[in-house]
Amino acid sequence: MSRYYYYLVLINMIANVIASVPAILLHFHDDGAVSAMIFAVVLGPILVFYFTRFFNHFPGMTLPELLQKTTAKWFYNPFILFLAITWFIAGMITLITYTFLLIRYLTPEMPIIQISLTILLAVIFGCLMKTDRVFYTIEIILLLTVPLTILVFIKAYTNENLRWEFVKEAALYFNQFPNLNAFSACFFLFLGSANLIIFNRFFKNKQNFGFKQLTLIVAISIMTLFTTYFIPIGFNGVEGIGELVYPWITTSDSLRMKFSLIERVLFIFLLFYLGIAFLSILIHWHVSIELLKYVFNFEKFKFKGFKFGVFLPIPFYIGVSLYFVRLLDEYQLFRFSSIFYNILIIFFPMMLILFFFIKRRMKNVKKAEQN
């Protein structure tokens, strides 16, 4: 399997280590969070497997291209528009989360709109790049950020203040009924492969995806979930852990690098995680804008030969994001994210039925093209 495929899966998992996912999980630490994680590790890879195998059947084709060939227009346009809004919201949640993080820990005096605009302007024009250039950007930033992020995780695991008895105590809640909110938050980590609805155009040849590749993804997901959930508990204990808004930020502030230029790991962690957040928003909004192109045919908007149609969604993206940045507080963002994740656990399994329909219709389309 191409390394670019793993970028899509990995970024979705890593970006949520300090976003709303750990806060949701730890909020339900005594109410089915552990069993929800176990449940997600079983069901999540099944979804990853079927999504990846489906697009592997149609190398180089996006979901809108497949739907154009197999479905009626009354279904096609509303459905693609719904997908575009879904991907936009996923990116917006990451944007608002990191805006709140920056204003709380790095730039408390800066106006919130100014922080949001700084991130928005860095991301929004990157979303308009071609899909292959988005991948190349992802690779460069990952090479710079992931090694140092892993170093922070290693320091956390090897730190003398990590109390494994707290971790064991938290694991004892495994026998409770899985909590729905905790399960949906975990399930979201596995949806990186869903970005293939657009990024599959990059994979022109059939990829090798089988048991080994799926096992690797399962192993990474287990490590990610364990790090997301148990390490903050190991540092902060079980009592009161559910009240922390950003558990991993609190955890990273417990770490020190004695011989580094910056001793507090918190600042290093935040800056490098900002790079991961940038990639997560870039991927989600690139997919969203590409989907909108199929609905609104931006090519027809021209002025003296200059095609400006592709820029039309930008004011909408900026305006809506700034509106919600001002509207929501951290608790409301937590609730908003939970509701969004709960919708996704219904929507994405239902897409497998659509994939089955498309596969059957595509056989007829291929026969018709051959004749």
Side-chain angles (χ1 to χ4, degrees), residues 74-93:
W74 65 264
F75 173 81
Y76 172 81
N77 279 337
F79 185 71
I80 297 295
L81 186 60
F82 175 76
L83 289 179
I85 294 170
T86 303
W87 257 258
F88 166 71
I89 293 173
M92 188 180 72
I93 287 175

Side-chain angles (χ1 to χ4, degrees), residues 42 134 165 235 324 356:
V42 174
V134 171
E165 57 267 30
F235 276 89
F324 278 100
F356 178 73

Side-chain angles (χ1 to χ4, degrees), residues 187-248:
F187 198 72
F188 183 71
L189 298 184
F190 291 92
L191 296 183
S193 60
N195 292 306
L196 286 173
I197 65 171
I198 288 297
F199 280 94
N200 194 50
R201 66 166 55 134
F202 180 82
F203 303 104
K204 304 286 185 188
N205 302 314
K206 207 164 185 176
Q207 303 291 308
N208 180 25
F209 186 79
F211 180 74
K212 285 182 184 175
Q213 290 75 17
L214 192 63
T215 305
L216 178 63
I217 291 172
V218 171
I220 294 169
S221 67
I222 291 172
M223 284 191 289
T224 305
L225 280 173
F226 188 90
T227 305
T228 302
Y229 182 76
F230 287 107
I231 297 303
I233 289 177
F235 276 89
N236 301 288
V238 179
E239 293 298 323
I241 189 71
E243 305 301 321
L244 295 179
V245 182
Y246 301 110
W248 245 103

Side-chain angles (χ1 to χ4, degrees), residues 7 48 110 144 167 191 242 246 255 280 308 338 350:
Y7 294 162
V48 171
M110 190 180 285
L144 294 172
V167 175
L191 296 183
Y246 301 110
L255 305 174
S280 178
F308 64 90
S338 291
M350 285 181 69

Side-chain angles (χ1 to χ4, degrees), residues 27 90 103 118 155 195 288 292 298 342:
H27 185 74
I103 204 165
T118 306
K155 281 202 70 70
N195 292 306
S288 179
L292 288 177
F298 291 136
N342 288 346

